[in-house]
Structure formats: structure tokens, C-alpha cells
Amino acid sequence: LVCLLVSMLQLPVVRSAIYACPVLLLVLWLLDGGRMPSTAQLVITAPFIWLLVLFVFYIPMTGLFAWKWSFFICVYTAIFLFVDFSKTDVNLLYLNMVFMILLAYSWFTGNVLSVDIQTLEKGLTDSHVVTESPLAFPLGLFACFWMLKGRYWLGLINFIVTLFAFKRIVLVAMAAFAVTLLIPKKVRSSGVYALCGVFVVTMVISLGIEFAYGRFDELLTTTTGRSANALSMGRQDLWREVLGRVQFDYTDFALVGVGMDKVIEGHMAKAVWTPFHNDLLAIWLSYGAIGVIIFTGLVLIPRDPEARALATFILTIFLTDNTLIYQHVMIPYLFMLSTIIQDRR
């Protein structure tokens, strides 16, 4: 946690502190006797271990971008493989408070007081207001977590702050989380829920592909008065470019992909790297449909209804962003899963 917070200060010398964590924990793990990970650790990290296994199989077609992407995933995976946080008492309230302080600081230094109602209303369609911040991702996650823990005031405070931090996909993810809570816990902890979740995610990714090809352009323009690419903040053009570059076809990409490097290298023709902004589609194109189906199933593998509610949130934000490489999102998420497992025990 200290390394994560130090990294978030964005100081030139220490901004990469979090990436030294696996080395430190490996040494401590070896000194402790090198114990095998517990079942809880394997369940929590299984989706990301799967991505790293796929990366190994695709090494012959791997370049710099894929190495960097996989290393970012390896960081938090290693942390939770070496240490069983489900057996430790981690007070996440302190981390939550730090995120809020960082957000307040960014607002203060960004002249947020200049925001007006018209700007906020415009942000509903173009997702661009002065209060917007990537900290909406972890704060939205905290809002859901505190609701699950029964600490409703903390959940409400985080929800309100997340509204101002304004990331549209986070608001959608919180709505998906709320809908999930309406499902009986017995159903939520069943295999049927996991299978339905995999099916829904696969269908939504497919809709994203059709969106990139312009299937809904007329409908969206008629409804909102804005182009589909403008509504998606340029994602439509980016996804269509990548789909064309890898010559995507549903049949050809069912079992295999082209490797992560060809997918996430972005607009290299323009000499500017642009993130792909869709983790799940990136996995599909890189490792085939079967790769993303198994990944989604592993995200939903914890049988705790609370864990699956959080998984619904995290899978939703995977759909339009690069959250898999955000340490400030994935580390709190995995801590929350560990806490839920600890409560079950």
C-alpha cells in the first residue's frame, strides 16, 4: 500500500515504486519458506494468471507493448500470490481517504471552481468536465464495497464524490452493480449466474465490435445529435482501425488471436501511442474468443455473492478502458476480494 501511494504522487524518482513490490515480496516470501499460495490466493489471482499464461504462449509474436502490458498485470498478481491478505486485517478506509485527498488536490490545482451547470450537462454526452478524474474508478469501487460491508454512509459519500469525478463507464458500472444486488444471493452464488455473466459479457463485446463498424451510427446520431465516434470519445475510430489492421473475423478469432502487441500499439502511424480503451476486446483480439470467455469465467469464479457483485463492476469498466493496467484500481479491487473472503471465514 505504501508503494502504491508513493507511486501515485507522480514524483519522477519514486513514481515507479509499485513496480519494485514483486521483487521485495519475492525475497520476503523466500525468507518465509516459500509457502505455496492458498486456495483463496489462487481464486483471486486466477484470471490474471490466465492472461500471463496466454502471454507466454504468444511470446513468438510478442513485442515491447505486450511485454509492458503483461508486466503491469504481473505486478499486482505477484503481490497477491506471495501474500495471503485474506489472513491479514487491512483497513481500506485509510486508502479510501488518500484517494479522496488526491482527488481534492487535483480539483484545487485544476481550478475546478470554474465549473458551471452547462459544463456539467454537456459532460453527460462528451464525458469532458473539469471535475473529471481517473480516480473515479477506485472511488466508484469503494462506493460499492462499503455498500456491501453495510457502511452505507461511506458508500454514499464515495458515490457522491464519484459523480463529480465523472467517468461515464464508472456510473454505468455502479448501475450494473446495483442491478446485481437485486438478484437473490443464492442465485448470485450459483454457477448459472457465472455462465450468464460470461454470455452477457461476450454479447456486449460483440456489440462493441458492431458499434466500431458503424452499425448503430444512424440510431445514435438521430437520438443524441452527435456522431457515434464523438459520443465514444474517439473509441469508435480507434477500435475500427485496430479491427481492420488485424483483419478481424469472428470465425478466425474464435480460438486464436494475433497477440497483444498488434492490438495495443494503437495509432503508431500517427507517431502517437493511444491506449486501446477496451480490455476485454483487446484480450479477444489478442488471444481469441476462448481466451476472453475463460478470463471472464475466472473473474466470476469466487462464489461469494458480494465478490460477484464487485466482479460485475470491474468487468463493466473493462469494456471501455485500460483498467487492467491501472494499479490504483486493481490493487484495491484485489484487497476488497481478500477482505470479503476473510469475512466469510
Side-chain angles (χ1 to χ4, degrees):
L1 281 176
V2 171
C3 288
L4 174 63
L5 297 177
V6 169
S7 297
M8 290 181 63
L9 294 176
Q10 294 294 303
L11 299 177
V13 179
V14 297
R15 63 181 301 174
S16 299
I18 188 64
Y19 303 117
C21 251
V23 178
L24 174 62
L25 289 175
L26 174 61
V27 172
L28 296 175
W29 178 71
L30 291 173
L31 292 175
D32 192 42
R35 300 175 183 176
M36 293 298 293
S38 66
T39 301
Q41 288 172 276
L42 292 174
V43 166
I44 288 172
T45 57
F48 316 109
I49 293 174
W50 169 243
L51 293 180
L52 295 174
V53 169
L54 289 173
F55 166 76
V56 171
F57 276 104
Y58 279 79
I59 280 181
M61 57 181 71
T62 293
L64 176 62
F65 288 99
W67 279 100
K68 290 172 64 177
W69 187 85
S70 298
F71 177 71
F72 292 150
I73 293 175
C74 184
V75 169
Y76 56 78
T77 303
I79 291 171
F80 285 86
L81 268 181
F82 290 141
V83 181
D84 188 356
F85 290 101
S86 67
K87 296 181 179 178
T88 60
D89 187 16
V90 178
N91 191 339
L92 292 176
L93 179 58
Y94 297 119
L95 181 60
N96 191 182
M97 291 173 62
V98 170
F99 280 132
M100 286 196 172
I101 292 171
L102 289 173
L103 179 63
Y105 177 75
S106 69
W107 283 349
F108 180 77
T109 57
N111 194 25
V112 70
L113 296 179
S114 65
V115 68
D116 55 33
I117 297 300
Q118 283 187 326
T119 304
L120 288 174
E121 289 175 349
K122 187 172 182 292
L124 290 173
T125 55
D126 64 14
S127 189
H128 186 69
V129 297
V130 296
T131 56
E132 183 182 351
S133 169
L135 289 172
F137 292 107
L139 290 173
L141 193 56
F142 272 111
C144 297
F145 175 70
W146 294 127
M147 288 294 182
L148 289 174
K149 297 282 286 183
R151 303 178 73 172
Y152 301 115
W153 280 109
L154 283 174
L156 180 61
I157 291 170
N158 277 275
F159 173 73
I160 293 172
V161 173
T162 302
L163 287 178
F164 283 99
F166 200 81
K167 287 286 186 180
R168 289 180 298 179
I169 190 59
V170 177
L171 303 182
V172 173
M174 289 195 292
F177 169 84
V179 171
T180 302
L181 294 184
L182 299 177
I183 301 173
K185 288 187 177 182
K186 186 175 181 180
V187 175
R188 221 187 308 157
S189 61
S190 68
V192 173
Y193 181 87
L195 289 174
C196 289
V198 171
F199 175 78
V200 170
V201 167
T202 305
M203 289 300 101
V204 173
I205 302 172
S206 300
L207 287 174
I209 293 171
E210 298 306 311
F211 167 81
Y213 285 138
R215 303 285 191 263
F216 312 113
D217 282 5
E218 185 176 349
L219 173 63
L220 291 172
T221 301
T222 303
T223 305
T224 67
R226 297 172 62 85
S227 70
N229 190 56
L231 287 170
S232 63
M233 299 294 290
R235 286 168 174 80
Q236 184 187 45
D237 280 352
L238 174 59
W239 296 345
R240 182 167 53 230
E241 177 193 331
V242 175
L243 289 166
R245 173 152 42 84
V246 302
Q247 298 180 322
F248 175 79
D249 178 84
Y250 284 104
T251 302
D252 294 341
F253 281 74
L255 299 177
V256 296
V258 295
M260 187 60 71
D261 206 66
K262 290 185 179 179
V263 176
I264 63 173
E265 63 183 5
H267 288 298
M268 289 308 294
K270 299 180 180 179
V272 177
W273 179 68
T274 304
F276 189 60
H277 288 295
N278 191 327
D279 285 326
L280 297 179
L281 180 55
I283 296 170
W284 187 329
L285 299 180
S286 302
Y287 305 129
I290 190 67
V292 76
I293 287 171
I294 293 175
F295 172 77
T296 304
L298 291 174
V299 171
L300 293 168
I301 202 172
R303 298 186 66 88
D304 305 84
E306 291 81 7
R308 285 188 170 174
L310 279 182
T312 300
F313 177 97
I314 207 75
L315 284 169
T316 303
I317 62 176
F318 284 163
L319 287 167
T320 67
D321 231 286
N322 314 290
T323 323
L324 272 171
I325 62 173
Y326 292 172
Q327 306 296 331
H328 65 285
V329 178
M330 299 309 301
I331 289 178
Y333 170 66
L334 293 174
F335 267 124
M336 291 172 191
L337 289 185
S338 298
T339 300
I340 289 171
I341 291 175
Q342 182 186 60
D343 291 344
R344 183 189 64 188
R345 290 174 175 176

